[in-house]
Amino acid sequence: MKVVLGVSGGIAAYKACELLRLFTESGHEVRVVPTRDALRFVGEPTWAALSGNPVTTEVWENVHEVPHVRIGQNADLVIVAPATADVLAKAAQGLTGDLLTTTLLTARCPVVFAPAMHTEMWDHPATRANVATLRERGAIVIDPASGRLTGADTGPGRLPDPEEIFEVCRRVLRGAPRDLAGRRVVVSAGGTREAIDPVRFIGNRSSGLQGYALARTAVARGAEVTLIAANVTLPDPAGAKVVRVESTAQLREAVLAAADDADVVVMAAAVADFRPVDQATSKIKKTSGEPEPIRLTKNPDILAELGERRTLARNSATPTAGTPASGTPTGGAAGEGATNTGPAVIVGFAAETDDVLANGQAKLARKGCDLLVVNQVGERLAFGTPDNAATILVAGGEPVEVARGPKEDLADTLWSLVAPRLTD
Ligand code: CTP
């Protein structure tokens, strides 16, 4: 595929070299279009050698090829990384002045921006407005990561890892629809741990792979994603806000807070059903006799609680003219003045060993969710493997079978079932 890599003048330009390699090594034809300022950070020979293509920043070179129009017209994807506040402003206003901005005006393919700048610049109302404009027009703008910035500063504004920007672009090139644009999505991933003492815990084998695949896919489909990660060691997906938790109590708090203004909540995390009644504050020592048994108590069921809260909110919402009646899905992110009746779509996961469908149907009803992804576990565990097979149970609809395949495919099927249910 033909990819245009636009590079604007930020210190993170050096990370775009790695992104360029990821594209070329996976067989894409890349044309690098740096701005004049980008060349102050990384020189033209580097871009030319790594891309194997000529590199120009001005519209006045090779004019007979009409590059200011042709490059954009011929592209299958334009990715701007890093995208400075300046290039976002120019793109939002439709200003030109160099080859990158003319390319952005002539491109009719998907356009992805990966902004990187200091937190103050990212948070400035002018930048927020420019980002909102670009998103409204159909661009994917990947929220920057949080962390160390140039100098001693830390905060949101870092360019996400090149591998993770590439993951978004790969999905966009695969034809990811933008059906989650403007939607707020919460995904829980991984497995909770319940402390026995300061060094030991009760946990499970969940790797977080399925939840992370869901988050990555949702970003590529245009969603604003909060990923609540319980003990996951995978790299942060580009564009997702990652909240790290350990125990079920922490997961519950994070999920319920994020669910308040979410359109969709997907509980892909494997939640510990029980926790020790007592947590020792010092390490439990071996004694000569038999060890003390660990007494367990039940954890709250977060998914069921989400369903119950939504039912309560829907029942207490008084229908008035122009307001959806109780029972009508209205996302938490619904416009100003609309009644917040909780997430429009709640999705659960279930691991079953026996009577998979019957147990799944009972769980779907018991937990009050709209969709339930049922994995049969046992002979080949879904935990930690790159593949998954599942049946997606749909409240009031026919089940959907998902054949064994990459967790990314299951994620795509799930979002394709969720998107049409977001109807506000
Ligand atoms: N879940 C939850 N809170 C819990 C337990 C589970 O939110 N305390 C969520 C999981 O994230 C998952 C779904 O509920 O989306 C189903 O989890 P599963 O472990 O299969 O169900 P259980 O409630 O444990 O039911 P059972 O023990 O009957 O299998």
Side-chain angles (χ1 to χ4, degrees):
M1 297 263 219
K2 288 196 175 65
V3 174
V4 173
L5 171 59
V7 186
S8 53
I11 187 79
Y14 76 93
K15 292 193 192 169
C17 300
E18 184 61 36
L19 181 59
L20 171 55
R21 285 196 77 99
L22 291 164
F23 279 115
T24 52
E25 277 168 20
S26 39
H28 298 292
E29 177 70 22
V30 188
R31 185 78 199 245
V32 183
V33 183
T35 62
R36 263 161 254 145
D37 286 343
L39 294 182
R40 293 166 79 103
F41 292 100
V42 179
E44 182 268 338
T46 305
W47 302 119
L50 288 177
S51 69
N53 274 319
V55 173
T56 42
T57 62
E58 308 296 342
V59 294
W60 306 114
E61 294 160 51
N62 303 317
V63 177
H64 64 287
E65 290 171 5
V66 205
H68 74 290
V69 176
R70 255 348 135 240
I71 294 177
Q73 279 177 340
N74 291 340
D76 295 305
L77 173 81
V78 178
I79 159 77
V80 186
T84 56
D86 181 66
V87 89
L88 294 173
K90 285 183 175 143
Q93 295 300 312
L95 293 174
T96 59
D98 59 12
L99 196 54
L100 177 55
T101 44
T102 54
T103 298
L104 287 169
L105 270 189
T106 52
R108 293 295 175 270
C109 59
V111 178
V112 179
F113 291 92
M117 63 197 74
H118 271 79
T119 308
E120 292 81 356
M121 296 171 89
W122 174 247
D123 284 342
H124 194 283
T127 308
R128 308 307 313 160
N130 292 330
V131 168
T133 301
L134 293 168
R135 284 181 173 152
E136 266 162 34
R137 288 194 199 129
I140 303 266
V141 184
I142 301 172
D143 276 352
S146 255
R148 181 82 193 270
L149 304 170
T150 326
D153 302 344
T154 55
R158 256 174 89 83
L159 190 74
D161 285 343
E163 291 82 3
E164 293 298 324
I165 298 175
F166 179 71
E167 280 300 307
V168 176
C169 295
R170 190 175 65 71
R171 285 169 166 82
V172 172
L173 280 167
R174 238 170 72 125
R178 296 198 63 264
D179 52 0
L180 296 177
R183 302 296 186 181
R184 293 189 188 148
V185 160
V186 177
V187 178
S188 71
T192 56
R193 290 178 181 174
E194 303 299 343
I196 298 170
D197 68 12
V199 292
R200 304 178 180 96
F201 59 83
I202 298 172
N204 61 67
R205 293 180 197 280
S206 177
S207 61
L209 282 169
Q210 184 62 67
Y212 273 51
L214 280 157
R216 290 194 175 101
T217 308
V219 169
R221 293 172 86 135
E224 194 181 307
V225 179
T226 301
L227 175 60
I228 304 172
N231 310 297
V232 182
T233 52
L234 302 168
D236 289 356
K241 178 180 167 213
V242 183
V243 180
R244 298 197 176 277
V245 297
E246 212 175 304
S247 65
T248 302
Q250 291 166 353
L251 179 71
R252 176 177 171 275
E253 200 182 323
V255 168
L256 294 183
D260 265 349
D261 60 357
D263 296 293
V264 187
V265 180
V266 181
M267 283 296 295
V271 185
D273 286 324
F274 311 102
R275 68 177 185 281
V277 174
D278 302 305
Q279 291 175 12
T281 47
S282 338
K283 187 181 169 198
I284 300 169
K285 294 302 234 179
K286 273 200 296 284
T287 49
S288 50
E290 282 299 303
E292 286 294 317
I294 298 170
R295 284 204 313 127
L296 297 174
T297 184
K298 255 192 191 165
N299 266 331
D301 189 320
I302 305 165
L303 182 60
E305 195 171 343
L306 283 169
E308 281 156 21
R309 282 182 170 221
R310 182 174 66 173
T311 306
L312 279 176
R314 283 180 178 176
N315 289 344
S316 61
T318 354
T320 53
T323 311
S326 142
T328 308
T330 303
E336 224 175 292
T339 315
N340 187 339
T341 47
V345 182
I346 300 176
V347 184
F349 270 67
E352 300 290 346
T353 49
D354 315 294
D355 290 335
V356 178
L357 286 187
N359 281 335
Q361 288 291 2
K363 204 173 271 183
L364 178 78
R366 192 169 72 240
K367 303 225 183 192
C369 44
D370 306 288
L371 301 166
L372 188 77
V373 183
V374 188
N375 293 302
Q376 175 149 29
V377 294
E379 69 213 62
R380 191 177 160 191
L381 284 167
F383 290 139
T385 64
D387 288 356
N388 211 348
T391 306
I392 304 178
L393 303 180
V394 182
E398 289 301 309
V400 176
E401 289 295 333
V402 185
R404 182 163 296 285
K407 287 183 172 172
E408 181 178 340
D409 289 357
L410 174 59
D412 262 321
T413 307
L414 185 62
W415 291 128
S416 293
L417 289 170
V418 167
R421 299 184 148 243
L422 300 168
T423 52
D424 61 68

